[in-house]
Structures are given as C-alpha cells and as structure tokens.
Amino acid sequence: MSGYRMMMLGPPGAGKGTQAKRLAQELEIPHVSTGDMLRDAKRRDTELGREAAEYMNAGKLVPDEVVIGIVAERLEQDDAAQGFILDGFPRTRPQAEALTDMGVELEAVINIEVSDEEVVRRLGGRLSCPECGAVYHKEANPPSQDDVCDKCGNRGLVTRDDDRPEAIKQRLASYHRQTAPLVEFYEQRGVLEAIAGEAGPDEVTQEILDRLAD
Ligand code: ADP
Ligand code: ADP
Ligand code: ZN
C-alpha cells in the first residue's frame, strides 16, 4: 500500500479526526493532529497553549510560524520515520510550503468533502472527551452511556469552546479563505484523493482504504 506520508484535508467537522484515528490504527503509523497538540498545550497551560487559546477560541487560525514549529519538532521523532497521518496541517499555503521545505513529500492528500450545512450539523453536535480526546456526536455517534467516555471512562463530555455557533461561522470562513486553496495546490501535485464525506463513518473509511490500495 502506498500513502504512508499522508494528510487529511477538509473543512472543520468533515470527519478528519475520526478517519485519521482509524487509518492510523489500520496502517500502524502515528496520527499527528495539530488541533490535538494545541488543545493539549492549552490544557497544560503552557506558554504555547496560552498564545494559541486566543486564536482557537475565536475560531481563527494560529499563526503559521507557531504551528510550523510544533509540526517540525513532532515529525523528527522516531515513530514518524515510517510515515504519519497529518490531520489539520497544513492549513495555509505558507504551511504547505514549509512542509515541503522540511523535505516532506506527501504521497496522499485525503480531501473529505462535506457541505457547509453538514459542517454546522456535525460541529453543533460534537462532544469531546477532555481527558483522552475521543470524539462523539449527540445524534450520529453518541457514547453508549450518557456523558461517559467509552474509551477512557471519564465522566463529563464537553462541547469544545470553538464548537459554539459564532466560532463555527468564523472557522468556516477561515477554511474557505485560507485552507480550501490547498485543494488545487495538491491536485496540481497529483496526490489529491477526493472522498465523499457525507456517508457514514464506516463507508468513508472503506472508501479511503480502497483509494489508497489503487
Ligand atoms: P474534524 O476532525 O474534521 O473536525 P471530527 O472527526 O471531529 O471532524 O468529526 C466532527 C463531528 O462529526 C463529530 O461529532 C463526529 O462524531 C461526527 N462525524 C464524523 N464523521 C461522521 C460521519 N461520517 N457521519 C456523521 N457524523 C460524523
Ligand atoms: P477542526 O475541527 O476545525 O478540524 P482542529 O482540531 O483541527 O479543528 O483545530 C482546532 C483549532 O486549532 C483551529 O480552529 C485553529 O485555531 C487551530 N489549528 C489547528 N491546526 C492549525 C493549523 N495547521 N494552523 C493554524 N491553526 C491551527
Ligand atoms: Zn475519554
């Protein structure tokens, strides 16, 4: 199978994290999520976390140099030597260029396509576990016991600060303005795989695996 250096592209709420976790397990490569790393820094209240929180809570992108720095450091770790799944990076053209400058040639960019209406439905119902990062949906994928994380048993699932209506609007705008141009960027490089993202999670996973096997 090809595609060991891959990336998940798509609007907020497209299902990038949900799919990246499954693929990472299936392909035995690390899931590198800038959103997860930034939220972790926020939770630990580090300098990085405090800086990033202002942008994140407003639904704005964290400055390029900050995110590029944490990704460069993460990809140098040993477990990334055989490949990785980037989730949520790159999100701007300068970030994509910085990745190339790090010597990373992506073999597959999985672009999960969903409408803005579906984004609003998904983010509006997303529940996240603050302890382990597991993700649920109030209607489409509820935890088996109300308010308890299936994965780690933590009681108290939360709506992310940026999954509130004003922030969702802002994130969609940032996506269309800053991130959507990467579709063409990677299409031109011949690595883009467009995936219909509105099907159920199992179907989407299968479609991605089929595409990677081609
Ligand atoms: P992203 O990482 O792109 O922001 P997530 O993987 O966190 O997206 O998914 C956003 C929300 O949509 C979550 O509540 C998740 O449970 C739900 N979700 C993910 N994939 C699907 C799907 N194929 N169908 C319905 N809901 C989904
Ligand atoms: P989403 O559900 O929107 O895909 P993520 O968890 O990937 O959310 O990202 C959450 C927030 O973290 C973003 O709205 C942004 O503020 C910040 N962030 C994550 N990745 C990046 C990035 N590559 N560049 C700039 N900001 C980022
Ligand atoms: Zn949990």
Side-chain angles (χ1 to χ4, degrees), residues 41-81:
K42 213 175 125 180
R43 210 153 64 96
R44 288 185 289 118
D45 199 30
T46 63
E47 198 179 321
L48 165 69
R50 280 194 294 272
E51 188 189 353
E54 283 177 45
Y55 297 95
M56 295 170 78
N57 294 348
K60 297 199 171 132
L61 294 183
V62 173
D64 286 333
E65 59 277 15
V66 174
V67 187
I68 290 166
I70 62 174
V71 171
E73 207 172 285
R74 178 65 186 86
L75 295 185
E76 275 171 15
Q77 290 172 26
D78 290 346
D79 67 338

Side-chain angles (χ1 to χ4, degrees), residues 128-134 136 148-154 157:
S128 307
C129 175
E131 286 303 318
C132 76
Y136 304 89
V148 177
C149 179
D150 289 340
K151 214 177 128 201
C152 76
N154 169 53
L157 301 175

Side-chain angles (χ1 to χ4, degrees), residues 29-202:
I29 49 179
H31 170 209
V32 176
S33 159
T34 44
D36 287 349
M37 291 190 281
L38 292 169
R39 275 186 294 279
D40 185 54
K42 213 175 125 180
R43 210 153 64 96
R44 288 185 289 118
D45 199 30
T46 63
E47 198 179 321
L48 165 69
R50 280 194 294 272
E51 188 189 353
E54 283 177 45
Y55 297 95
M56 295 170 78
N57 294 348
K60 297 199 171 132
L61 294 183
V62 173
D64 286 333
E65 59 277 15
V66 174
V67 187
I68 290 166
I70 62 174
V71 171
E73 207 172 285
R74 178 65 186 86
L75 295 185
E76 275 171 15
Q77 290 172 26
D78 290 346
D79 67 338
Q82 299 309 314
F84 44 77
I85 302 177
L86 286 171
D87 167 11
F89 181 94
R91 252 183 165 97
T92 64
R93 176 134 189 160
Q95 292 178 18
E97 283 162 357
L99 188 64
T100 309
D101 293 343
M102 290 173 212
V104 173
E105 289 292 344
L106 293 173
E107 287 147 291
V109 172
I110 309 294
N111 184 35
I112 307 190
E113 300 179 328
V114 303
S115 65
D116 286 6
E117 293 71 39
E118 182 68 8
V119 165
V120 171
R121 257 196 301 279
R122 289 193 184 176
L123 296 182
R126 176 158 63 184
L127 291 172
S128 307
C129 175
E131 286 303 318
C132 76
V135 170
Y136 304 89
H137 190 278
K138 287 175 191 165
E139 282 109 40
N141 176 31
S144 38
Q145 210 188 324
D146 205 29
D147 208 34
V148 177
C149 179
D150 289 340
K151 214 177 128 201
C152 76
N154 169 53
R155 184 174 289 276
L157 301 175
V158 299
T159 296
R160 268 166 49 176
D161 292 333
D162 59 347
D163 282 344
R164 301 181 195 284
E166 323 75 64
I168 293 175
K169 231 170 121 193
Q170 176 63 48
R171 284 156 74 205
L172 264 172
S174 306
Y175 168 77
H176 287 294
R177 192 161 50 87
Q178 292 170 279
T179 308
L182 296 182
V183 173
E184 199 191 326
F185 181 90
Y186 287 114
E187 202 161 38
Q188 283 171 355
R189 283 158 183 76
V191 292
L192 194 82
E193 301 286 353
I195 301 289
E198 300 209 3
D202 294 346

